[in-house]
Amino acid sequence: MAELITVEDPADPRLYDYTGLTDVELRRRREPAEGLFIAEGEKVIRRATDAGYEMRSMLLSAKWVDVMRDVIDELTAPVYVVTPDLAEQVTGYHVHRGALASMQRKPLPAAGEMLAGARRVAVMEAVNDHTNIGAIFRSAAALGMDAVLLSPDCADPLYRRSVKVSMGAVFSVPYARLDTWPQGLEAVREAGFTLLALTPDEQARALDEVAPHTMDRVALMLGAEGDGLSRRAMAAADALVRIPMSHGVDSLNVGAAAAVAFYAVATGRPR
């Protein structure tokens, strides 16, 4: 069973993993370099643990100790118990859910290894909004996508905000980064995937006309909010596809568009 350690000094070096959680640029650099990520809230911590991520430590307010008792009983990592005020001093914000855990990252699989057993794959280009990353992973998990591929400049799916928005779905959908872009897409095509680029362009074919659910292997390409897919990415695709719109709406948020398109790829015409 983990040792429960009461900490009363916000400068205690044992709390280093949790410092400055609101400094996005710092955490973007630091977390991958140090091989950690932060899980926030009971459900997310449990899902990370169930997915096999090793816990480095846990930071709890006193009232969450009993809630997390079964998890604590299985741990060898330290559990730091702090007041809500001290947690806020350390992290930089009020920890509403009262429970944080520092988790050890796993090595990412190679793209080719991940593609070998997949049939439905989402491919993201330059998606840098962590909320959108989390929403896309949650939809990918819910709607039966087998894996996610990221361009080199996509945001980190294990950043705290992405993990939180996905409700831990980032732990259940395998993902990998392509080393080059868009050249890396050729390896996806060579693995037998049809590359479909999602765009609001009126020249693109409607998803229901393309019938991606009938294709053997499909890689659905998604671009960043606002900019969408780059010209180079669309040129590398086998076909451009769009979601038909009504009432003069020209496009959807990329998270919403991904959910509609994943449904079409996995099961048929969106309704």
Side-chain angles (χ1 to χ4, degrees):
M1 184 176 70
E3 181 183 3
L4 296 177
I5 303 168
T6 299
V7 178
E8 298 177 344
D9 180 2
D12 192 311
R14 292 174 294 183
L15 304 184
Y16 176 71
D17 283 0
Y18 305 96
T19 56
L21 293 186
T22 57
D23 188 332
V24 178
E25 290 306 316
L26 172 64
R27 300 302 299 200
R28 277 177 175 173
R29 296 191 304 270
R30 180 182 159 196
E31 290 184 11
E34 297 180 12
L36 67 91
F37 69 92
I38 299 298
E40 180 178 2
E42 177 191 359
K43 289 182 179 178
V44 171
I45 292 172
R46 290 182 185 279
R47 287 172 183 172
T49 303
D50 290 345
Y53 287 92
E54 180 183 352
M55 191 177 294
R56 294 160 60 109
S57 66
M58 195 184 301
L59 183 72
L60 300 176
S61 57
K63 71 176 184 179
W64 282 87
V65 171
D66 287 341
V67 176
M68 302 299 295
R69 175 60 65 183
D70 60 316
V71 176
I72 293 169
D73 287 347
E74 299 296 323
L75 291 179
T76 56
V79 176
Y80 302 118
V81 181
V82 299
T83 65
D85 285 346
L86 190 138
E88 185 170 353
Q89 290 178 62
V90 172
T91 63
Y93 73 105
H94 180 63
V95 184
H96 297 284
R97 303 190 181 200
L100 295 170
S102 174
M103 313 295 295
Q104 190 72 38
R105 290 176 182 248
K106 299 178 184 179
L108 284 183
E113 173 190 340
M114 193 189 67
L115 290 171
R119 293 186 61 246
R120 299 288 183 262
V121 175
V123 184
M124 291 191 239
E125 179 190 26
V127 179
N128 283 309
D129 183 278
H130 292 104
T131 297
N132 285 334
I133 288 275
I136 291 169
F137 265 88
R138 189 172 185 183
S139 293
L143 297 168
M145 302 298 283
D146 299 316
V148 174
L149 282 175
L150 306 172
S151 70
D153 53 352
C154 270
D156 178 14
L158 293 183
Y159 180 72
R160 178 174 59 90
R161 179 65 179 166
S162 300
V163 173
K164 183 177 179 180
V165 170
S166 80
M167 290 299 293
V170 293
F171 309 137
S172 58
V173 181
Y175 70 93
R177 285 191 185 270
L178 294 170
D179 294 328
T180 58
W181 186 268
Q183 296 84 354
L185 292 171
E186 189 56 38
V188 183
R189 181 179 287 107
E190 290 174 357
F193 287 84
T194 301
L195 293 165
L196 302 181
L198 190 65
T199 172
D201 193 321
E202 291 185 358
Q203 302 303 312
R205 295 177 64 193
L207 267 171
D208 54 329
E209 294 175 8
V210 176
H213 64 292
T214 66
M215 298 176 179
D216 184 45
R217 306 182 94 182
V218 178
L220 182 72
M221 298 162 56
L222 304 161
E225 187 75 20
D227 293 336
L229 289 166
S230 66
R231 291 183 179 181
R232 292 195 308 155
M234 288 195 285
D238 296 307
L240 305 184
V241 297
R242 62 182 174 84
I243 299 169
M245 300 285 172
S246 301
H247 301 292
V249 177
D250 60 357
S251 63
L252 296 172
N253 166 275
V254 66
V260 174
F262 292 165
Y263 180 81
V265 166
T267 61
R269 180 175 178 171
R271 301 184 184 278

